[in-house]
Amino acid sequence: MLRQIILLITLISFSVQVIAQELHLNIHQEVNKVLEPKEGGLDLKQIQDLTLNDQIDLKISYERLFQAQKKIAQARAEYFPYGLGTIAAMYFLNVWNPLILVELVTSLPSKWYNVQSEKNLRWAQKYSFKALEHNIKAQVAHLYYGLLKEEATLKLTEVQIRLMEKLLTAVKEEVELGISDYTDIENLEIRILDARDIYLKFSAYHAQSTAAFNQMISQDPEFSKLAKLQPVAEFNVRDEYTTNLEQAALAAVERAPEIVSADYMIVAARKAKKSIRWSVLSFSGIGFGYWSRVQVAGSKVEAAELNRELVETTIKNQVYVTHSAFMRAMDLFNAEEAISSGTSFFTEVKIEQFKGREVSLRTLLETELLFVKDYTETIVAHYDSLIKKIDFERAILGTAKDPSIQTNLNI
């Protein structure tokens, strides 16, 4: 009997070493694959150029973006109807809506003004469209980073499932040896079933969101099938982002196309009012309704001026709000990375102990499952911080590291 047990332990140890070479001794390399560059992968700028360029009308670009957002939100609501679906719909369709600032500066109907105002209205519209271009690019970046986050999460979930399946085998062997209880098998089987259920749902959702995204960037089905997104391997470093928010807010106002558009609206309103003052002819006859028309024109000037103030206030508020959100996202990422680094080191120790047969396979696998979980949360926080960074850079139309420098930022 003793010889049989020793033989069984020897066989288990041998099989463990073979299995470990497949995954357990290379767990760090396995999880890092989610950040490896892809041959022919499309980076953010390439994606934005496919969505918005000189060959595509701005209205078409916006419609493609809106349809992609809508389909992705519907897919989330379908596969995750309890809580996440509603949140996702709000997130994709309402947060920093591409039309918010544009509507602020174009809310005064052009029919208010006569022919003498048309030139200024055209300029106002031009700068409103410029603001819309920036917003479309920012929203595309949201979808881009979101898909990369989901793709990485799916791959890491696959790794967790593989680890749990190996763990189940190890636990079954321990039960046969009498050193574990059968309830351990039942609990682990439930964990695996839950993980597979989540994986299948999330995978189906991700397939639909990817299809919607590909439809947005291309009308060529073959290109869409081959399109791959390039992972972002470089992590943001919190200490590199020091910002004087007052100066950033002032710079944002100076750069904002929304402000220029609002100024042209004011000029158009003033010219319209001036032309009315010189006109005493109405459809009712000479002089009829003259003063009322002058008063209406004057109120439109006031409305345009108030609108301009509202736009400036909104832009400044966006600078403070998006910067705060970006800093919180960075703090969260730093916290997750610190935790992940700790479990990574702990896992390395357990691997060495496993090689020296100081710990069991079960102990090693449980440790690695904890590490993969922490690493997954780090990757999620990484892409979330990039999304918040895009929002801040959109608000200031500058770089997050140095807001005093104006760039097009691909947004």
Side-chain angles (χ1 to χ4, degrees):
M1 184 66 179
L2 180 60
R3 288 185 60 188
Q4 291 177 338
I5 293 176
I6 293 173
L7 179 60
L8 181 58
I9 293 175
T10 303
L11 290 173
I12 290 173
S13 298
F14 177 76
S15 62
V16 161
Q17 295 299 329
V18 173
I19 293 171
Q21 288 175 4
E22 297 175 0
L23 177 62
H24 311 121
L25 297 183
N26 300 295
I27 189 65
H28 293 86
Q29 295 91 321
E30 191 73 22
V31 298
N32 284 329
K33 288 180 180 179
V34 299
L35 296 177
E36 289 180 355
K38 299 177 184 176
E39 184 178 355
L42 300 172
D43 61 23
L44 178 57
K45 185 179 185 308
Q46 290 172 310
I47 292 294
Q48 289 169 331
D49 289 343
L50 288 169
T51 308
L52 188 66
N53 56 59
D54 294 337
Q55 281 72 47
I56 303 177
D57 184 87
L58 183 64
K59 294 179 182 178
I60 295 176
S61 296
Y62 173 72
E63 183 61 27
R64 286 184 183 178
L65 168 66
F66 180 77
Q67 290 301 324
Q69 290 175 317
K70 183 178 179 181
K71 289 177 182 177
I72 291 172
Q74 289 173 341
R76 282 209 177 194
E78 176 184 351
Y79 288 102
F80 307 101
Y82 302 105
L84 182 58
T86 303
I87 294 171
M90 291 175 60
Y91 173 74
F92 280 117
L93 298 179
N94 294 331
V95 176
W96 193 269
N97 188 291
L99 289 180
I100 285 178
L101 291 181
V102 175
E103 286 174 349
L104 285 174
V105 298
T106 59
S107 58
L108 306 181
S110 60
K111 66 182 180 181
W112 283 3
Y113 310 108
N114 61 13
V115 176
Q116 296 183 33
S117 302
E118 285 185 357
K119 180 179 179 181
N120 293 290
L121 288 174
R122 286 197 299 271
W123 280 103
Q125 185 181 50
K126 174 183 176 181
Y127 281 95
S128 291
F129 283 169
K130 191 66 179 175
L132 183 57
E133 288 180 12
H134 289 310
N135 289 334
I136 289 175
K137 288 184 177 182
Q139 288 291 303
V140 169
H142 274 235
L143 297 183
Y144 170 80
Y145 289 131
L147 285 178
L148 284 173
K149 176 174 65 176
E150 292 162 6
E151 184 179 302
T153 302
L154 277 171
K155 290 180 179 178
L156 292 170
T157 301
E158 288 178 6
V159 173
Q160 291 185 64
I161 292 174
R162 287 166 58 195
L163 287 173
M164 283 190 286
E165 288 173 344
K166 298 297 182 184
L167 178 60
L168 180 61
T169 301
V171 171
K172 286 180 177 179
E173 292 172 345
E174 287 186 356
V175 170
E176 290 179 6
L177 291 173
I179 57 178
S180 290
D181 191 87
Y182 187 77
T183 56
D184 292 342
I185 295 178
E186 293 179 338
N187 293 335
L188 189 53
E189 285 176 339
I190 292 174
R191 284 174 62 188
I192 294 173
L193 288 173
D194 287 341
R196 284 177 177 167
D197 179 59
I198 293 171
Y199 176 81
L200 289 173
K201 286 181 180 179
F202 200 73
S203 180
Y205 153 71
H206 182 68
Q208 287 196 26
S209 59
T210 300
F213 185 84
N214 287 344
Q215 202 169 30
M216 177 188 70
I217 65 175
S218 173
Q219 295 300 309
D220 183 353
E222 292 304 317
F223 175 82
S224 296
K225 292 177 183 178
L226 299 174
K228 295 179 292 185
L229 303 185
Q230 195 68 269
V232 181
E234 183 179 355
F235 292 159
N236 286 321
V237 179
R238 177 69 163 77
D239 295 339
E240 293 180 359
Y241 297 94
T242 56
T243 304
N244 184 316
L245 284 180
E246 291 185 6
Q247 292 181 0
L250 291 174
V253 171
E254 290 177 358
R255 299 166 184 165
E258 295 92 339
I259 291 293
V260 180
S261 180
D263 286 338
Y264 273 115
M265 296 289 279
I266 294 173
V267 174
R270 287 173 179 169
K271 287 192 174 183
K273 180 180 179 182
K274 185 179 292 186
S275 67
I276 288 175
R277 282 179 175 174
W278 286 97
S279 173
V280 294
L281 179 65
S282 71
F283 290 110
S284 302
I286 297 177
F288 289 92
Y290 171 74
W291 289 111
S292 63
R293 285 186 288 123
V294 171
Q295 288 177 339
V296 170
S299 68
K300 291 171 182 176
V301 173
E302 292 177 2
E305 291 173 342
L306 289 172
N307 187 70
R308 201 269 189 198
E309 293 178 9
L310 178 59
V311 172
E312 181 173 339
T313 301
T314 301
I315 290 171
K316 288 181 177 179
N317 287 341
Q318 285 292 338
V319 171
Y320 287 96
V321 170
T322 56
H323 178 266
S324 176
F326 176 44
M327 291 298 103
R328 290 198 303 272
M330 285 291 297
D331 289 339
L332 176 61
F333 168 73
N334 287 342
E336 295 292 353
E337 187 182 30
I339 294 171
S340 179
S341 296
T343 52
S344 174
F345 176 76
F346 188 62
T347 299
E348 290 177 357
V349 172
K350 290 301 177 184
I351 289 174
E352 293 304 314
Q353 290 178 338
F354 175 74
K355 289 178 180 178
R357 300 186 181 182
E358 299 175 33
V359 297
S360 66
L361 174 61
R362 180 176 182 175
T363 300
L364 175 63
L365 290 170
E366 289 285 12
T367 302
E368 290 182 337
L369 280 167
L370 179 62
F371 164 60
V372 176
K373 172 182 171 293
D374 290 341
Y375 187 81
T376 302
E377 291 174 357
T378 299
I379 295 299
V380 169
H382 164 54
Y383 282 116
D384 284 342
S385 71
L386 290 173
I387 290 172
K388 298 304 181 184
K389 178 184 175 185
I390 280 289
D391 288 343
F392 178 54
E393 291 184 333
R394 165 61 187 97
I396 63 176
L397 289 179
T399 64
K401 288 185 178 180
D402 190 353
S404 64
I405 299 176
Q406 180 179 6
T407 69
N408 60 22
L409 294 171
N410 299 326
I411 59 169

